[in-house]
């Protein structure tokens, strides 16, 4: 079992030394035994206060995290299991309000068992209150980055945790809607871990405690940094244009051609990745998504890797684009896929709906979206990530309504006519420029 860090200990790990300042806590007069008159509740609260040195299950304040100021909400699990009651809700609401008034990101450092039973439904309804504050903060264009500690269960996970824009977790932390005492007796305990949530696409990364301040600080810096339109990256591969359509196709399919990671490494000085579609899926082999720093400015990216993109990959890309749009961060997309995954499992996972999500996210984006086709541009599965009117292509990329082999098959042409069909599709970079499909061909970097 991982170490259960107290509220003050996690604050010391995260906040730059000497910068934490508590936000004034609201006061609430409660009758004896709390709102339900629960026998022994006052004594339980008093013992919790004596044991932890805290007056409630959360400590809220501001601090710098690796240089970036934020509102921190640290749960104290030793105070009645970090449970949420009316006074907890008061403090959370005050913290979120302070964040909006001062234009600061919010960082919940969560360790909770859920709602406080001694306050009954009045405790449970605090989740609606928290959800409202989170929604208002989201509408204000402010980032929310959650850190999941041990344990993060119940309504705290289902609001402050899972509702955050980016979700980090400490190794081995117990994470799940159901706490350990209310799960089915045959439940697999490994499913209720931080690592399992990352694997299922419900959290972004597991971060060791010693790396937490630096990692969280980088996230906050990127999500609150200045933004500006992202121009297309330079081409890293071939500079000469292909002579035929089939040459364009074979060049794009070459294993020696630079791929997404090479382009991202060349374009960004630093970057961090988001992972998962928040619907139970990931596609690490198909799409890379995250935020990076380019010339001191933040740019979001969604980059296909050359593989067939799966539904979870499209949903993750849509999540990234919507988040960047809300935060006012420009987006760079790299197109490189033979097409969307078309196996039976992809259909069961909602391939069409997932692709539609990306089309919709790009179409609705108010921030600039720039696209570079770095390899294969296979049909609608590639076009979904392409910015209308602001798409570029490298000399070793192509864009086509369909792969030449499939086009020949649909037209009932023999295999010997596949190369000629590629030419008829006019998929070369220079053809795409002439047709007005792309703005231009990316050049090589300055030497």
């Amino acid at each position: 079992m991982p170490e259960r860090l107290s509220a003050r200990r996690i604050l010391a790990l995260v906040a730059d030394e000497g910068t934490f300042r508590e936000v004034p806590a609201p006061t609430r007069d409660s009758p004896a035994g709390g709102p339900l008159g629960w026998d022994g509740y006052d004594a339980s609260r008093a013992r919790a206060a004596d044991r932890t040195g805290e007056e409630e299950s959360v400590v809220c304040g501001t601090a710098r995290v690796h240089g970036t100021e934020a509102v921190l909400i640290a749960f104290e699990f030793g105070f009645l299991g970090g449970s949420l009651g009316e006074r907890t809700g008061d403090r959370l609401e005050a913290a979120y309000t302070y964040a909006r008034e001062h234009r600061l990101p919010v960082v919940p450092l969560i360790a909770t068992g859920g709602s406080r039973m001694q306050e009954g439904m009045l405790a449970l309804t605090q989740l609606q209150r928290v959800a409202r504050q989170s929604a208002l903060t989201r509408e204000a264009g402010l980032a929310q980055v959650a850190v999941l500690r041990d344990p993060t269960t119940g309504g705290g996970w289902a609001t402050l945790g899972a509702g955050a824009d980016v979700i980090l977790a400490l190794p081995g932390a117990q994470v799940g809607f159901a706490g350990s005492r209310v799960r089915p007796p045959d439940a697999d305990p490994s499913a209720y871990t931080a690592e399992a949530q990352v694997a299922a696409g419900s959290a972004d990364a597991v971060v060791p405690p010693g790396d937490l301040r630096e990692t969280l600080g980088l996230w906050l810096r990127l999500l609150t940094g200045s933004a500006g339109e992202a121009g297309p990256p330079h081409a890293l591969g071939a500079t000469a244009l292909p002579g035929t359509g089939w040459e364009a196709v074979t060049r794009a399919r070459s294993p020696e051609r630079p791929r997404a990671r090479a382009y991202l490494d060349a374009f960004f000085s630093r970057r961090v990745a988001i992972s998962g579609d928040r619907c139970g899926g990931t596609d690490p082999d198909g799409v890379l998504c995250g935020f990076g720093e380019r010339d001191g400015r933040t740019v979001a990216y969604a980059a296909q890797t050359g593989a067939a993109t799966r539904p979870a990959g499209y949903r993750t890309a849509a999540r990234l684009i919507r988040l960047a749009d809300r935060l006012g961060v420009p987006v760079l997309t790299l197109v490189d896929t033979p097409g969307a995954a078309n196996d039976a499992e992809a259909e069961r996972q909602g391939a069409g709906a997932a692709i539609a999500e990306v089309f919709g996210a790009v179409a609705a984006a108010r921030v600039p979206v720039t696209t570079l086709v770095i390899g294969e541009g296979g049909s609608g599965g590639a076009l979904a990530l392409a910015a209308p009117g602001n798409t570029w292509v490298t000399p070793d990329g192509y864009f086509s309504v369909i792969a030449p082999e499939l086009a020949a098959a649909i037209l009932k042409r023999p295999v010997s006519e596949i190369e000629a069909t590629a030419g008829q599709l006019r998929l070369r970079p220079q053809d795409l420029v002439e047709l007005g499909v792309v703005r231009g061909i990316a050049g090589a970097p300055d030497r």
Side-chain angles (χ1 to χ4, degrees):
M1 178 181 294
E3 179 185 1
R4 284 187 174 169
L5 303 172
S6 67
R8 301 293 170 172
R9 177 60 182 145
I10 192 67
L11 288 170
L13 282 176
V14 167
D16 295 349
E17 186 174 358
T19 65
F20 181 73
R21 300 289 183 272
E22 286 194 46
V23 173
T27 58
R28 174 190 288 262
D29 294 328
S30 298
L36 302 187
W38 189 285
D39 186 37
Y41 182 37
D42 292 340
S44 295
R45 286 180 54 88
R47 287 193 298 270
D50 289 341
R51 183 169 56 250
T52 63
E54 307 296 347
E55 297 178 356
E56 236 326 312
S57 59
V58 291
V59 178
C60 305
T62 63
R64 290 193 173 275
V65 181
H66 220 259
T68 300
E69 190 172 5
V71 168
L72 305 183
I73 299 171
F75 278 73
E76 176 52 71
F77 189 77
F79 193 103
L80 301 181
S83 57
L84 282 78
E86 286 186 308
R87 291 180 181 177
T88 321
D90 292 343
R91 291 190 173 205
L92 294 173
E93 183 174 55
Y96 273 97
T97 300
Y98 186 95
R100 292 193 298 274
E101 290 174 346
H102 295 82
R103 303 295 302 167
L104 297 175
V106 180
V107 181
L109 305 162
I110 309 169
T112 176
S115 300
R116 193 168 298 171
M117 291 180 297
Q118 297 93 328
E119 296 187 20
M121 277 302 299
L122 291 175
L124 191 64
T125 58
Q126 300 308 304
L127 302 182
Q128 296 172 319
R129 193 176 178 189
V130 171
R132 175 62 175 164
Q133 291 303 311
S134 179
L136 291 173
T137 304
R138 191 176 299 113
E139 289 176 5
L142 300 171
Q144 300 173 69
V145 183
V147 176
L148 313 181
R149 296 152 56 206
D150 184 59
T152 297
T153 61
W157 164 230
T159 51
L160 290 159
D165 300 316
V166 175
I167 304 171
L168 310 177
L170 296 183
Q174 179 188 171
V175 180
F177 185 65
S180 59
R181 298 183 183 182
V182 295
R183 298 170 193 158
D186 59 347
D188 179 5
S190 66
Y192 302 85
T193 63
E195 290 78 5
Q197 297 295 347
V198 171
S202 297
D204 293 293
V206 172
V207 182
D211 298 337
L212 188 56
R213 181 183 299 170
E214 182 177 358
T215 301
L216 184 56
L218 178 56
W219 267 112
L220 293 174
R221 174 181 170 184
L222 290 173
L223 296 181
T224 61
S226 60
E229 183 172 355
H234 295 294
L236 300 180
T239 56
L241 294 174
T244 67
W246 187 244
E247 182 185 351
V249 172
T250 56
R251 185 187 289 184
R253 293 175 179 175
S254 170
E256 284 76 36
R257 172 183 56 78
R259 304 285 167 150
R261 285 184 175 83
Y263 276 92
L264 295 175
D265 288 343
F267 192 75
F268 294 114
S269 56
R270 302 186 76 179
R271 70 180 193 271
V272 289
I274 68 167
S275 176
D277 61 3
R278 300 297 187 261
C279 300
T282 62
D283 186 18
D285 297 325
V287 182
L288 307 174
C289 295
F291 291 81
E293 190 171 61
R294 169 75 173 178
D295 297 329
R297 296 178 177 271
T298 301
V299 176
Y301 64 85
Q304 291 173 313
T305 64
T309 307
R310 303 202 64 79
Y314 287 115
R315 284 191 287 262
T316 303
R319 172 190 157 212
L320 180 280
I321 295 167
R322 288 193 293 260
L323 173 57
D325 188 52
R326 180 156 47 78
L327 298 177
V329 175
V331 178
L332 170 69
T333 63
L334 301 180
V335 167
D336 185 8
T337 181
N342 58 5
D343 54 273
E345 188 59 28
E347 292 298 336
R348 294 188 188 100
Q349 294 168 358
I355 296 170
E357 274 197 60
V358 181
F359 270 118
V362 172
R366 296 158 296 181
V367 296
V369 180
T370 303
T371 299
L372 180 63
V373 181
I374 64 172
E376 290 195 82
S379 194
L383 186 67
L385 269 74
N390 199 24
T391 292
W392 305 72
V393 63
T394 64
D396 46 11
Y398 80 85
F399 225 144
S400 179
V401 64
I402 194 171
E405 297 92 335
L406 299 179
I410 291 172
L411 296 172
K412 300 181 180 180
R413 293 178 176 180
V415 173
S416 60
E417 293 189 27
I418 289 177
E419 293 187 18
T421 302
Q424 288 180 292
L425 288 170
R426 299 201 63 191
L427 46 71
R428 300 176 303 168
Q430 58 267 45
D431 296 327
L432 300 173
V433 172
E434 185 177 339
L435 292 169
V437 174
V438 301
R439 286 184 62 178
I441 299 170
D446 296 332
R447 301 297 182 186

